[in-house]
Amino acid sequence: MRPHEDTTGSTSARAAGHTSPAGRPWTMLTLATLGFAVNFWAWALLSPLGPRFKETLALSSFEQSLLVAVPVVVGSLGRVPVGALTDRFGGRAMFPLVSAATIVPVLYLGLFGHSSLIALLIGGFFLGIGGTAFAVGVPFVNRWFPPERRGTAIGVFGAGMGGTAISALTTVKLVDAHGMANPFLITAAALAVYAVLAAVLLRDAPGRTVPTEPLARRLADTARLAVTWQASALYAVAFGGYVAFSVYLPTYLKTGYGLGQADAANRMAGFVLLAVAMRPVGGWLSDKLGSVRVLAASLAVVVVGAAVQSATPPLAPLGTVAFLAMAAALGAGSGATFALVALLAPANKVGSVTGVVGAAGGLGGFVPPIVMGVIFSATGSYALGLILLALVSAAALAFTVTRVRRAAASGGTSP
């Protein structure tokens, strides 16, 4: 299936493509991707330090999970209003604002807020601001590109989620080498540099339509769009699966296969990097083949991979192949989901839709680790959890090839 053009947004998109200087859209895309990566780097600072805080502050497993979850939940839910505000004020204003606001909790946590659980939770709550950068970048990038390039462009932007990998690979090492404040100070400096850079260099696309309705009405209108809930359901599976594995995979590998902490962490990093690399590929393939085909293929791979892994096969080679296949599929599926949003959402509501869909993806990654932990405690095996993943992915696949396919064929006009 070839993508159908969104007639609501194509006029302004073509205007942006034809009136802007050569290369300007790609410059804006590069700056937006950089901002996404830096903010996600900050957003993920607490997760690698969870085991350290558990030991030094004598936290329970629940308290450790809560500490890591608070920025994720706040950053996910915060995307809803931030996406709507981006529709109103534009990425040129919102990117510097979000980046500058994230500096405050980063400095607080590094200098003062790591001495108690309450202090960490307060800092983690406001650290969630960094996670809302995603809802700024998608509508900003979307308006710079014509419909036939939006999947690729938003997929490239989505690779900025690799900022979480920067945090995973550097935070603990920097703390060990230079003290607790060091990674927070470095990240705060990166955020400050980017905020200034964005304020000076970012420009909103020519012809950007500015909504005039009140925020509450725009959010209500967004809730009535079929694409909002279709994409939310798919992103909760695709990106939620990526988030869940990136959080829980080290525990799974240590418990299920007896790997050491360093080995498990390195394998998790490989999973994350492959998923990040495949996100722009998923967007590019969506431009060429259609979002529905890419989503269907991605979900089918997850179904097979989860079913294979539910039998706990030997890690070399079958288990490794299953996990890497799922990583590639979840990354490509995440890119394809937002190619679908760019295709079907009205141009002046892309930010609002992105906020809701992004929140669904973040929250989708919050639930599975809890379910996996409960299942393992009850049964001593992860098999049932992986079977549930296969069943949920199969349901999403069926939804994609029926309802979502019809919506894409009708150009998003179905209720």
Side-chain angles (χ1 to χ4, degrees):
M1 176 183 298
R2 286 285 183 180
H4 294 263
E5 288 193 352
D6 168 19
T7 56
T8 309
S10 60
T11 302
S12 61
R14 289 195 191 99
H18 287 299
T19 62
S20 58
R24 174 64 71 85
W26 292 100
T27 301
M28 296 298 106
L29 172 59
T30 301
L31 288 169
T33 305
L34 177 62
F36 182 26
V38 171
N39 277 277
F40 257 43
W41 175 14
W43 189 41
L45 280 171
L46 287 182
S47 182
L49 296 172
R52 182 181 297 262
F53 288 131
K54 181 179 181 180
E55 182 179 330
T56 58
L57 299 178
L59 304 181
S60 67
S61 295
F62 172 77
E63 289 171 333
Q64 180 188 353
S65 300
L66 183 64
L67 172 63
V68 174
V70 165
V72 174
V73 173
V74 174
S76 299
L77 294 177
R79 292 173 189 176
V80 177
V82 168
L85 289 171
T86 302
D87 280 338
R88 177 66 179 85
F89 298 105
R92 184 186 184 186
M94 293 300 294
F95 254 128
L97 180 61
V98 168
S99 301
T102 305
I103 294 172
V104 177
V106 169
L107 288 177
Y108 166 79
L109 285 166
L111 297 176
F112 313 108
H114 54 264
S115 58
S116 70
L117 176 61
I118 295 299
L120 284 167
L121 290 176
I122 292 171
F125 181 90
F126 290 101
L127 191 65
I129 295 170
T132 67
F134 179 74
V136 178
V138 171
F140 175 81
V141 170
N142 183 72
R143 294 184 184 107
W144 270 108
F145 288 84
E148 64 272 14
R149 289 186 177 180
R150 287 178 186 163
T152 302
I154 293 175
V156 170
F157 169 76
M161 69 185 187
T164 58
I166 298 175
S167 180
L169 293 172
T170 64
T171 302
V172 173
K173 293 177 183 178
L174 288 170
V175 169
D176 289 340
H178 305 289
M180 181 60 69
N182 188 260
F184 294 90
L185 293 175
I186 291 174
T187 308
L191 285 164
V193 170
Y194 178 75
V196 173
L197 193 69
V200 172
L201 298 179
L202 279 184
R203 296 291 183 272
D204 289 310
R208 184 176 75 87
T209 55
V210 179
T212 56
E213 302 95 340
L215 176 61
R217 182 182 299 174
R218 280 188 284 130
L219 290 176
D221 290 343
T222 299
R224 297 188 187 100
L225 295 173
V227 67
T228 301
W229 304 110
Q230 291 165 353
S232 292
L234 295 172
Y235 203 57
V237 177
F239 186 71
Y242 158 79
V243 172
F245 274 122
S246 66
V247 170
Y248 201 73
L249 191 56
T251 299
Y252 175 91
L253 293 173
K254 287 170 63 179
T255 306
Y257 287 96
L259 298 187
Q261 184 173 355
D263 192 9
N266 287 337
R267 290 173 188 267
M268 182 272 285
F271 182 99
V272 167
L273 291 174
L274 179 57
V276 168
M278 285 301 295
R279 185 154 181 161
V281 174
W284 176 77
L285 287 173
S286 296
D287 287 340
K288 301 297 182 183
L289 305 175
S291 304
V292 171
R293 285 182 174 176
V294 178
L295 278 164
S298 299
L299 290 166
V301 171
V302 176
V303 171
V304 174
V308 169
Q309 192 55 39
S310 68
T312 317
L315 197 55
L318 193 54
T320 299
V321 171
F323 276 120
L324 292 181
M326 285 191 287
L330 292 169
S334 296
T337 302
F338 272 96
L340 186 73
V341 170
L343 182 71
L344 300 182
N348 64 345
K349 290 186 174 66
V350 171
S352 300
V353 174
T354 296
V356 176
V357 176
L363 295 176
F366 177 67
V367 176
I370 297 174
V371 173
M372 291 288 277
V374 170
I375 287 173
F376 185 81
S377 298
T379 67
S381 170
Y382 290 113
L384 179 58
L386 287 156
I387 290 171
L388 287 174
L389 172 61
L391 292 174
V392 170
S393 300
L397 173 59
F399 181 62
T400 298
V401 299
T402 53
R403 292 289 297 275
V404 177
R405 184 186 293 276
R406 288 198 296 269
S410 66
T413 57
S414 58

